[in-house]
Amino acid sequence: MAESAASAERAESRAVEGGRRPSRRPKQDALIEGVRRRVRSTDGGGSPEDASASDERRPGVKRTTPKPDVRAEARLLSIAPRSGPLATPLKQVSWRLNPRLLGTLNKKGLRRVGDVLFLLPRVYEDRRRLRRIAELVPGERGVTVGTVRAAGDALVKGGRRRLFRAVIADETGSFAATYFQSGPWLKARFPVGKRLVVSGELRASPSGREMVHPEIEPADDLEGSHIHFNRIVPIYPGFERHEQRAFRELAHRVAEKYAAWIEEPLPQPLRERLGLLPLKEAILRIHFPQDGADLDELAGHMSPAHRRLAFDELFFLQLGMALKRQGVKTEPGIAFDVSEPRLANAKALLPFELTRAQARVVKEICRDMGEPEPMNRLLQGDVGSGKTAVALVTAAIALLDGYQVAVMAPTEILAEQHYRTFQRLLEPMGVKVGLVSAGGSQKHKREVRAAVASGELRCAVGTHALIEGDVAFEKLGLVIIDEQHRFGVIQRHALMSKGQRPDVLVMTATPIPRTLAMTLYGDLDLSVIDELPPGRTPIVTKVYSEKARSRVYEAMLEQLRAGHQSYVVYPLVEESEKVDLQDATRGAQTLREAFPDYTVGLLHGRMKQEEKERVMRDFRERRIDILVSTTVVEVGVDVPNASVMVIEHAERFGLSQLHQLRGRVGRGAAASYCFLVAGYARSAESTDRLRVMEQSNDGFVIAEKDLELRGPGELLGTRQSGMPELAVANLARDGALLALAREEALAIAKADPGLTRPEHAGLVRALEERWEGRLALARVG
């Protein structure tokens, strides 16, 4: 996986550096440029320098149910304005800022007054009533005020290590503030006699009650301050505790002076209909909650104010998607012949009947292909659901109409497998199929590329080599991209640009939760194959520890004796590639000793393409019984006789990758097994992942859990999708809000495609702010 991803990224870089950016769609660009022109005319011209993202901006809370100790860390919202009064540099405000604070803010990318307003608190403390020390409960988080009675270093572990302890006391009791480090900077924060606000989890230890690494803040103005005490107080991300007071005071002053300049982007009827707070009020409530606010809702970023900001993020993301989608739909494309006789001829190529789900998806695709506008459809289906069969029927429709078809896969192994499948089924109808790859002799590569350019090769199957500058098509009508999330945005554009607005079908066997699909692929139509072909049996999945390996080998031996084959997969991690390859090599040797009567093969990403093909051919033709491999077999490899998948170091894999690897077995009628061998040192999260794999074979259930555990950004690489990131909205939690935002965005885009109505002027400005000029990038998602 790392190898294919790395080669894909290198190809993308070459495409950009060589100036071969994909051609832009004129009607779509005209729509987007019209929006931009109105932005420039309404915001008064140029914008100041962009603030870089803070190092401390991290994903939002992932829990679906708020709990008192939930710490929902936040980032700078994408809606911080880049023009107008809110873009005033902090160094130009009318009051004096502490130079040290200004330097800290600058390092964190907070350079404008709007950045202060749109940096959300990560958590809140309830200081409406501070507890006395005697009221603190061991095991619970609490906030109290006490005086430093003593402070200094202490020796632990026989004098080999120093720690710092300060005794904090009030009239009801005392406890120790303990830090597992030492230094004069700590002692300076705990001068004897100083009153401090101390926050943390109280523990009962053998030496007495203590808080480990508590957060502290001076309590100098405890009685009179309406900013730091006697209210629910915000705690901001990225700042040390002793810096919180200064930033909180800055946020309060900026809010007083600049909050009036916060523009309301949503039309009033929409806001009133959905019961959303005005944006200005939501921002003020987030920084300084009202007395009656619910602390759990605030901590979980689920308060009415947070809901307003989450809706904004989702709404403008969906509105941008809707405009991109509308731009695509207005372009002239190819109206293919999808009549019943033509469709029947295409289906006749398959040696089996389509399932109900496959037939439904083919019908949806045909409806798109028959329209005189480009198709942009995402085909989603679990491993083994038959996406390739749907792709073959789709390709046949385009080929029967006289057009060429390009099929792009992320790895050489999968491309070669698709090539053999398409060749076997399409050549009987007179269609010549070719494999376009980076391998082979220069003469062979020139001949294949010349055949594609002349139209002699009607169907070109390949890897990222298809997007290279020396590959041209005579009449490209359909682009099929398999495992599309393994390619960058620019690569997908580059392939599409080789034809005159070809239809596009992107496929993925990585199940995507509905909320994430609506977000990442809002400008694509979605088709889902939600059933497996008949005869498939569920895969039995079990987790074993290292010491139970003998039981795994016994189960493997039983299947080998029954005439079946096995995979044994080792992780391939880029940073430790050599170590992992040695693991696989040693593993192959161990298996040869454990199974002397059976043939063991080895496959990994450093082998030459010819070697990989030879090993896979031997495995398919049963000359290899046990295939030891790295994750190069993750995607698309189809050997129906293989009935056992053993995944070594399973705790090092993500859920979607484990599910993909498991999908290499269970492709025949025989019962199949997946054994996850996990190391002793595994985290709670990896244990959760393995438990999910044991309990479910449903890719969509697994994908939802993966989204909950890892978040959307990591799950499918939203950073490369050309979209704004989410700071408040949580896709694992806010599915209903996303659906509502999508519905409203589509309605506005349909009623006012160019956003020219006066009441939509705020939408235009906000849209450009949030997308930062990226509306044209991710046409294919």
Side-chain angles (χ1 to χ4, degrees), residues 48-75:
E49 63 176 352
D50 286 342
S52 62
S54 166
D55 292 340
E56 302 297 328
R57 294 167 203 162
R58 290 166 286 184
V61 64
K62 295 179 184 176
R63 297 177 188 255
T64 53
T65 304
K67 299 198 175 180
D69 60 346
V70 168
R71 293 190 164 223
E73 299 184 353
R75 296 163 294 182

Side-chain angles (χ1 to χ4, degrees), residues 178 227 343 348 529 532 554 666 700 756 772:
T178 303
I227 300 176
L343 181 57
I529 303 177
L532 295 177
E554 288 170 9
F700 291 93
T756 56
E772 295 180 344

Side-chain angles (χ1 to χ4, degrees), residues 427-443:
E427 289 199 344
M429 63 179 275
V431 172
K432 194 170 182 181
V433 181
L435 180 62
V436 179
S437 70
S441 67
Q442 290 297 323
K443 180 183 177 183

Side-chain angles (χ1 to χ4, degrees), residues 18-61:
R20 296 190 303 274
R21 290 192 179 274
S23 63
R24 300 280 295 275
R25 301 316 199 250
K27 289 194 177 181
Q28 182 185 0
D29 284 1
L31 174 67
I32 294 164
E33 185 55 34
V35 171
R36 286 184 181 161
R37 277 197 301 271
R38 290 197 300 287
V39 170
R40 288 193 286 270
S41 67
T42 53
D43 70 9
S47 60
E49 63 176 352
D50 286 342
S52 62
S54 166
D55 292 340
E56 302 297 328
R57 294 167 203 162
R58 290 166 286 184
V61 64

Side-chain angles (χ1 to χ4, degrees), residues 481-545:
I481 300 175
D482 198 7
E483 289 304 322
Q484 58 78 35
H485 68 280
R486 302 280 288 274
F487 295 101
V489 176
I490 295 173
Q491 290 170 303
R492 298 193 284 272
H493 274 270
L495 182 55
M496 291 163 54
S497 69
K498 293 179 182 287
Q500 290 297 313
R501 299 174 184 85
D503 280 9
V504 178
L505 178 68
V506 295
M507 306 192 298
T508 180
T510 301
I512 306 168
R514 182 171 175 269
T515 53
L516 196 57
M518 287 168 63
T519 305
L520 287 180
Y521 310 111
D523 54 342
L524 276 76
D525 296 300
L526 177 64
S527 291
V528 179
I529 303 177
D530 52 9
E531 66 175 324
L532 295 177
R536 295 284 172 90
T537 56
I539 302 167
V540 177
T541 303
K542 293 184 179 180
V543 177
Y544 290 98
S545 63

Side-chain angles (χ1 to χ4, degrees), residues 132-133 144-150 166-176 194-196 198:
R132 291 179 295 181
I133 290 177
T144 189
V145 175
T147 303
V148 180
R149 297 298 188 205
V167 177
I168 310 295
D170 67 7
E171 66 276 10
T172 68
S174 64
F175 65 90
K194 180 78 171 178
R195 292 189 77 206
L196 297 173
V198 188

Side-chain angles (χ1 to χ4, degrees), residues 352-361 385-386 390 529-534:
F352 50 80
E353 290 288 324
L354 294 173
T355 65
R356 286 193 305 270
Q358 288 172 322
R360 184 191 71 247
V361 167
S385 61
V390 171
I529 303 177
D530 52 9
E531 66 175 324
L532 295 177

Side-chain angles (χ1 to χ4, degrees), residues 155-161:
L155 294 176
V156 293
K157 294 188 177 179
R160 294 193 303 270
R161 184 179 173 192

